[in-house]
């Protein structure tokens, strides 16, 4: 079974530039998550989708971050404009559903460096 | 708001030593508890989970964790570590019935051969 795919794996941009990350979840997984993991911290949920609808985006900095999941499959996360503090690993995860009993499967992450 | 504390940020052990990583959470309701592991160069993956029932749960690779409700703790244990257990370990908590995971800051474990 193919895992969660993410691209790019690494990205370096200057502050105030924009960047986009892509995620392809495991086939059949209805729920998709984007996490931000800053160095030395645990992953923090940014946004959760159920199919193509948003379940939770309470921790998404909406003035600069946006995410979409068209057709309930792939998802993109965008930052515009980027700030130095956005340097982090952005993790995508997917699960069969939203209930806690369903395991979340994580992708390899995209490491973003903002200079 | 939920929070998770992992008090050991870095742990260094020799092979065959016993391991216990602490995890305490703050939440007033019923929770589901998880330990995730990230081996060097690999994805974050589930090690074990507690939902209900027996508070002693067993996971992959000989790991186990004990849920002590009165102490709000979910410590991870392994009787004898191996060099291949070198990884970063994350404790996480979620509301029952809802998948929003709140992670701790992680513990880096280095096992020397």
């Amino acid at each position: 079974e193919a895992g969660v795919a993410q691209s790019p794996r690494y990205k370096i941009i200057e502050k105030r530039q924009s960047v986009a990350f892509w995620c392809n979840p495991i086939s059949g997984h209805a729920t998709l998550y984007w996490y931000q993991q800053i160095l030395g911290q645990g992953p923090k949920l940014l946004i959760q989708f159920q199919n193509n609808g948003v379940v939770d985006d309470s921790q998404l900095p909406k003035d600069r971050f946006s995410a979409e999941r068209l057709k309930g499959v792939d998802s993109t996360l965008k930052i515009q404009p980027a700030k130095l503090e956005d340097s982090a690993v952005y993790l995508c995860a997917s699960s069969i559903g939203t209930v806690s009993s369903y395991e979340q499967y994580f992708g390899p992450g995209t490491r973003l460096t903002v200079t | 708001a939920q929070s998770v504390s992992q008090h050991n940020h870095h742990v260094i052990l020799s092979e065959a030593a016993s391991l216990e990583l602490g995890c305490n959470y703050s939440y007033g309701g019923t929770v589901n508890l998880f330990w995730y592991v990230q081996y060097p160069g690999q994805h974050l993956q589930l090690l074990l989970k507690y939902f209900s029932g027996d508070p002693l749960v067993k996971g992959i690779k000989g790991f186990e964790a004990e849920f002590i409700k009165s102490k709000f703790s979910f410590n991870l244990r392994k009787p004898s570590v191996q060099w291949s257990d070198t990884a970063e370990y994350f404790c996480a908590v979620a509301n029952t019935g809802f998948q929003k995971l709140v992670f701790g800051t992680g513990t880096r474990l280095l096992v020397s051969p």
Side-chain angles (χ1 to χ4, degrees):
Chain A
E1 177 182 83
V4 176
Q6 291 188 247
S7 67
R9 294 294 309 277
Y10 304 91
K11 190 74 177 178
I12 300 175
I13 62 172
E14 296 182 351
K15 59 184 179 183
R16 291 187 290 275
Q17 286 186 323
S18 62
V19 64
F21 313 127
W22 173 82
C23 172
N24 180 240
I26 292 173
S27 178
H29 281 196
T31 309
L32 185 146
Y33 314 80
W34 282 102
Y35 290 87
Q36 179 192 59
Q37 186 176 13
I38 294 172
L39 187 63
Q41 299 181 19
K44 182 184 81 172
L45 181 69
L46 293 176
I47 189 167
Q48 177 182 346
F49 292 94
Q50 174 70 10
N51 296 311
N52 60 352
V54 175
V55 175
D56 186 341
D57 63 357
S58 58
Q59 297 192 96
L60 186 73
K62 298 180 186 64
D63 58 334
R64 297 183 302 105
F65 286 65
S66 64
E68 61 181 8
R69 190 183 184 197
L70 299 176
K71 300 180 182 179
V73 182
D74 294 4
S75 178
T76 56
L77 176 69
K78 297 179 182 177
I79 307 175
Q80 182 179 11
K83 293 185 175 181
L84 295 176
E85 58 262 36
D86 297 332
S87 293
V89 175
Y90 290 84
L91 297 168
C92 180
S94 70
S95 64
I96 294 174
T98 58
V99 178
S100 292
S101 57
Y102 296 130
E103 180 177 345
Q104 291 189 28
Y105 294 84
F106 286 81
T110 296
R111 183 176 298 276
L112 173 67
T113 302
V114 182
T115 62
Chain B
Q2 296 168 312
S3 66
V4 178
S5 297
Q6 292 182 246
H7 307 294
N8 313 104
H9 297 293
H10 293 90
V11 174
I12 301 174
L13 295 173
S14 298
E15 274 194 317
S18 63
L19 170 72
E20 180 160 4
L21 301 182
C23 173
N24 288 91
Y25 66 93
S26 172
Y27 182 65
T30 305
V31 295
N32 295 327
L33 297 158
F34 308 80
W35 277 96
Y36 279 81
V37 61
Q38 188 165 25
Y39 297 103
Q42 295 189 26
H43 307 179
L44 200 61
Q45 58 184 287
L46 184 65
L47 195 57
L48 50 77
K49 59 189 178 185
Y50 171 80
F51 291 150
S52 63
D54 189 345
L56 184 63
V57 293
K58 296 189 184 298
I60 60 173
K61 302 186 180 184
F63 285 90
E64 64 179 30
E66 185 176 13
F67 170 51
I68 303 179
K69 188 175 182 179
S70 61
K71 295 185 178 180
F72 296 90
S73 70
F74 190 55
N75 292 353
L76 181 70
R77 299 195 293 249
K78 186 172 184 179
S80 176
V81 295
Q82 300 173 315
W83 175 79
S84 58
D85 294 325
T86 293
E88 188 160 18
Y89 294 81
F90 293 92
C91 182
V93 63
N95 294 335
T96 55
F98 187 55
Q99 266 280 35
K100 181 176 179 177
L101 286 176
V102 175
F103 284 86
T105 53
T107 298
R108 287 185 181 271
L109 171 66
L110 175 62
V111 180
S112 57

